[in-house]
Amino acid sequence: MTDGRSRHPGPRIEEVARVAGVSKSTVSRVINGEKYVSERSRQAVHRAIALLGYSPNHAARTLAGSKANAIALVISEQGSRVLADPFFAGVLRGVHAELAGQHVQLLLMMNQPADGQDQVAYLTGGHVDGALVVSLHGEDPLPRTLHETGLPIVVGGRPLAGGAVPFVDSDNFTGALEAVRLLVSLDRRKIATIAGPRDMAVGMDRLSGWRCGLAEHGRSVDLVVHSDFTPESGAGAMEELLRRAPDLDAVFVAADIMALGALRVLQARGYRIPHDVAVVGFDDSVLASTAVPPLTTVRQDLEQFGRTLTWRLLAELAGEEKLPASVLLPTSLVRRVSA
């Protein structure tokens, strides 16, 4: 059990050092019971801890050289979705590859809103040296909360909550823009989109790219239905688009996994792909090449995404300076049969 104070960001080790009038390393040595600290300094640190209500955490242990030799990968989704979506498998392969030979263990955690406080307490309790957080929804406070405790953290995807938390993302806007430009070049006149969730930056950025591509050519941006990165939601969104515009001739789908559902609906309704309706997805996961017909899609290198996330965190843990606050990875268009 942990008390309420340990579950929330509290005073940081820098504040204890300032109040005690000593260095951070001295505070860390006192907390860890090490020698070579004067009795005067030791008493000053204990008084500062009592005054501030400081709860020793990962940051102090790391300063003293006591490391967990482990990092956490926190995925803010239900376990069933994580296991079914090849996006997460690709990212996990990259994380694992980057950790090879590093003698660092990986802890996989599925984050749910109900247990967020328990996760903060665990992650800042010395069990891991840092964390990767992926698939954030809305202005999830987890990254900022962890960052404020002093735990090194890198977010996968642009965090909507903002702040100084470093992140790695794919160029979702440009990828979607290029997809629409392709469809326009194929003389498609009524281009719809199955967009991602409204509460995720990835969904917003791909939707913005679609809108920009249509605006370049004075096209309408009305044919939008939001979905949630599952085949079932992709199918439902395609049904809605066909009710609104049965004569649409192209659709940009914000994820390959949703495009599978969209293809199924179009084929069941008798639409020929790509003759009647061209379809472009996003991710270039294994689902794209095995779809019927094979899916034209925007490629983001998921393994490189995971590797870059992990590199950024390990570099910070190693004490590298002047690291980039954010890294934007390129995307590219992969032509197959569907468009």
Side-chain angles (χ1 to χ4, degrees), residues 21-285:
V22 298
S23 68
K24 291 187 293 184
S25 59
T26 297
V27 175
S28 182
R29 287 195 295 272
V30 171
I31 290 171
N32 287 278
E34 296 183 10
K35 299 178 181 179
Y36 310 114
V37 179
S38 70
E39 185 60 28
R40 180 178 179 180
S41 294
R42 192 181 306 277
Q43 290 181 4
V45 169
H46 283 306
R47 284 195 298 269
I49 287 174
L51 177 65
L52 295 171
Y54 176 74
S55 178
N57 66 1
H58 159 89
R61 279 183 286 274
T62 298
L63 281 171
S66 176
K67 295 186 178 181
N69 292 320
I71 65 171
L73 173 58
V74 183
I75 303 178
S76 299
E77 300 286 357
Q78 294 180 352
S80 58
R81 175 169 293 185
V82 171
L83 296 175
D85 192 333
F87 169 85
F88 297 110
V91 173
L92 186 56
R93 281 195 303 271
V95 173
H96 183 266
E98 192 67 17
L99 288 177
Q102 298 284 345
H103 305 293
V104 175
Q105 297 298 312
L106 179 65
L107 174 66
L108 180 61
M109 304 178 73
M110 312 297 178
N111 179 45
Q112 298 299 314
D115 60 17
Q117 291 182 342
D118 291 332
Q119 284 199 330
V120 170
Y122 183 88
L123 290 168
T124 59
H127 304 286
V128 297
D129 301 313
L132 308 171
V133 181
V134 176
S135 203
L136 290 170
H137 290 262
E139 296 189 5
D140 191 327
L142 179 64
R144 182 177 293 177
T145 299
L146 293 175
H147 184 69
E148 288 175 351
T149 69
L151 184 76
I153 177 175
V154 181
V155 174
R158 179 172 62 87
L160 293 177
V165 180
F167 69 90
V168 173
D169 203 358
S170 294
D171 192 351
N172 295 296
F173 175 89
T174 301
L177 176 61
E178 292 300 321
V180 175
R181 286 173 174 170
L182 169 66
L183 293 170
V184 171
S185 75
L186 296 174
D187 201 29
R188 302 294 167 149
R189 309 301 302 177
K190 188 168 286 190
I191 303 172
T193 187
I194 298 176
R198 299 174 189 270
D199 66 344
M200 298 185 74
V202 61
M204 295 177 180
D205 293 346
R206 293 176 190 177
L207 179 59
S208 294
W210 173 82
R211 285 176 169 151
C212 181
L214 292 179
E216 285 181 344
H217 299 276
R219 304 288 185 84
S220 169
V221 293
D222 294 333
L223 289 178
V224 181
V225 176
H226 288 270
S227 191
D228 68 355
F229 294 148
T230 63
E232 297 75 18
S233 66
M238 193 70 247
E239 293 276 11
E240 173 62 22
L241 286 172
L242 291 175
R243 280 194 293 269
R244 290 166 53 184
D247 59 339
L248 63 82
D249 58 4
V251 59
F252 166 62
V253 189
D256 294 345
I257 195 168
M258 296 192 298
L260 292 187
L263 288 171
R264 186 170 67 245
V265 168
L266 287 167
Q267 290 164 337
R269 295 287 197 90
Y271 290 87
R272 294 167 297 170
I273 301 167
H275 186 272
D276 298 321
V277 179
V279 180
V280 179
F282 203 115
D283 287 335
D284 195 30
S285 66

